[in-house]
Amino acid sequence: MHPFLTLDALRVLDAIDRKQSFAAAAEELFRVPSAISYTINKLEEDLGIALFDRSKRKAEFTQVGHLILQQGRAILKASDELAHMAKQAANGWELELRICIDSILHHHAIYDLINQFQNLYPWIDIRLSQENFGGTWDTLNTGESDLIIGASDEPFSHEIATHPIGQAEFIFAIAKDHPLNLAPQPLSQASIKQYPSIVAMDSSRHMPPRSAGLLDGQSRITVPDIHKKIDAQRQGLGVGYLPLHRIQGYLQSGELVSPTLEQSNARQHELCIAWRKDNKGKALTWFVTELKQMKLDRFFN
């Protein structure tokens, strides 16, 4: 039987949906609009079904068209993954390297590395994502990333290799006009518990979420990431521990203050990079080698 649903036809459907027009899809695929129309018309004729409702001013996917689009994307993804594996097996270079960095770290150090890498190997794509807490481990566990930067705690598997990048110091901080700033110091846990704790959400989707610095019975306000946590505490919405390297400027300006606590107001977290031992990709090896040689305090300064 003739394969009506070719990868090319599926890519055309995908481009039309993403670009919201035949003309824009043609531009993305470097074709003339008539070629896009011919591909769709031929596909509808071969299948004997309408993929687009043309009764309106702008053609829209029919219900069956949406079904083929969604299932077709799964086929395209599988095809891309197969090509990726074939390429990797053939010469050891990945088509794409996926790096996930924790939101606690500054990004400029990894940007510099990516720039160096692209100058050497411009044909390899880099996908950089950001997660919080266990979210970095989660992406490595599910195969969504090849390399994670800024992970804390121990690896969840003996199949994971790690390399330390240093300690992140967290200190208790509040806005300069927060009521606790007028309270007698050192602050007790009882006085701190009167106010909400600002919590950066653990972005794990498949692993148990974690949190740190919470007191029993303390209410919380959960925000998307460490950046929003800093903003929320600057606004006086609540209290909590913040990474010292991210708030030095606010402490110097007086916008944030770090009051004395009955218990220590400083905590240390060991951070590392991590990757799967069985991943022998050359791009991954390049980044791991460079990260090991880098002055890793650049992620903190």
Side-chain angles (χ1 to χ4, degrees):
M1 179 181 291
H2 183 71
F4 302 134
L5 287 170
T6 63
L7 292 177
D8 180 70
L10 294 177
R11 288 194 177 94
V12 169
L13 290 174
D14 173 66
I16 292 172
D17 180 62
R18 288 186 293 99
K19 295 299 183 178
Q20 293 296 299
S21 78
F22 282 42
E27 182 176 355
E28 178 179 272
L29 298 174
F30 301 102
R31 305 181 189 181
V32 295
S34 60
I36 298 296
S37 297
Y38 174 81
T39 298
I40 297 303
N41 293 336
K42 186 66 167 61
L43 181 58
E44 289 179 319
E45 179 182 340
D46 291 339
L47 294 175
I49 55 176
L51 302 178
F52 288 88
D53 180 0
R54 296 174 175 78
S55 63
K56 302 177 182 179
R57 181 177 179 181
K58 179 181 177 182
E60 298 179 356
F61 277 95
T62 62
Q63 184 175 359
V64 175
H66 269 296
L67 174 64
I68 292 178
L69 172 67
Q70 296 305 320
Q71 295 300 315
R73 280 175 169 162
I75 294 173
L76 288 174
K77 181 180 179 181
S79 174
D80 290 342
E81 290 175 350
L82 178 59
H84 173 84
M85 289 186 290
K87 178 76 172 180
Q88 187 173 16
N91 55 27
W93 285 104
E94 305 93 325
L95 293 180
E96 177 185 68
L97 183 70
R98 302 160 300 172
I99 302 171
C100 180
I101 187 169
D102 192 281
S103 67
I104 188 179
L105 297 178
H106 291 298
H107 284 47
H108 52 256
I110 193 62
Y111 290 155
D112 289 344
L113 273 189
I114 291 173
N115 184 52
Q116 294 176 39
F117 181 81
Q118 287 290 292
N119 286 333
L120 296 170
Y121 311 105
W123 65 88
I124 297 176
D125 293 336
I126 302 293
R127 179 161 64 85
L128 184 64
S129 60
Q130 177 178 280
E131 299 288 346
N132 310 310
F133 288 109
T136 51
W137 287 119
D138 196 58
T139 64
L140 192 61
N141 183 43
T142 59
E144 297 175 35
S145 65
D146 304 301
L147 172 66
I148 60 176
I149 302 174
S152 58
D153 295 335
E154 295 296 321
F156 52 85
S157 169
H158 294 298
E159 299 174 353
I160 302 299
T162 64
H163 181 78
I165 62 173
Q167 288 187 334
E169 181 177 357
F170 284 71
I171 64 170
F172 186 82
I174 57 177
K176 63 180 181 180
D177 55 356
H178 192 279
L180 278 179
N181 202 26
L182 301 177
Q185 297 186 25
L187 299 178
S188 66
Q189 288 193 359
S191 61
I192 294 173
K193 285 170 59 175
Q194 298 178 53
Y195 302 95
S197 175
I198 306 299
V199 179
M201 178 179 60
D202 188 316
S203 58
S204 297
R205 292 172 289 278
H206 302 93
M207 301 174 68
R210 300 177 297 112
S211 60
L214 291 174
L215 300 176
D216 291 340
Q218 186 178 21
S219 62
R220 69 181 67 182
I221 298 173
T222 303
V223 295
D225 54 40
I226 197 68
H227 313 291
K228 301 299 187 297
K229 175 174 164 62
I230 294 172
D231 288 343
Q233 290 184 217
R234 288 171 54 209
Q235 296 296 320
L237 295 181
V239 303
Y241 285 80
L242 294 172
L244 179 60
H245 67 278
R246 299 302 299 264
I247 62 170
Q248 291 280 17
Y250 300 126
L251 291 171
Q252 292 172 4
S253 69
E255 191 172 350
L256 286 174
V257 296
S258 182
T260 304
L261 309 183
E262 287 185 351
Q263 299 183 356
S264 174
N265 68 339
R267 299 176 178 180
Q268 303 286 340
H269 290 270
E270 293 283 351
L271 303 182
C272 68
I273 61 173
W275 63 98
R276 288 192 170 275
K277 295 178 181 178
D278 60 359
N279 188 338
K280 305 301 182 182
K282 292 182 179 179
L284 171 64
T285 300
W286 186 94
F287 272 91
V288 169
T289 300
E290 293 297 320
L291 284 166
K292 287 181 177 180
Q293 297 174 355
M294 177 187 287
K295 292 182 177 179
L296 295 170
D297 58 355
R298 293 184 59 202
F299 284 107
F300 301 95
N301 297 326

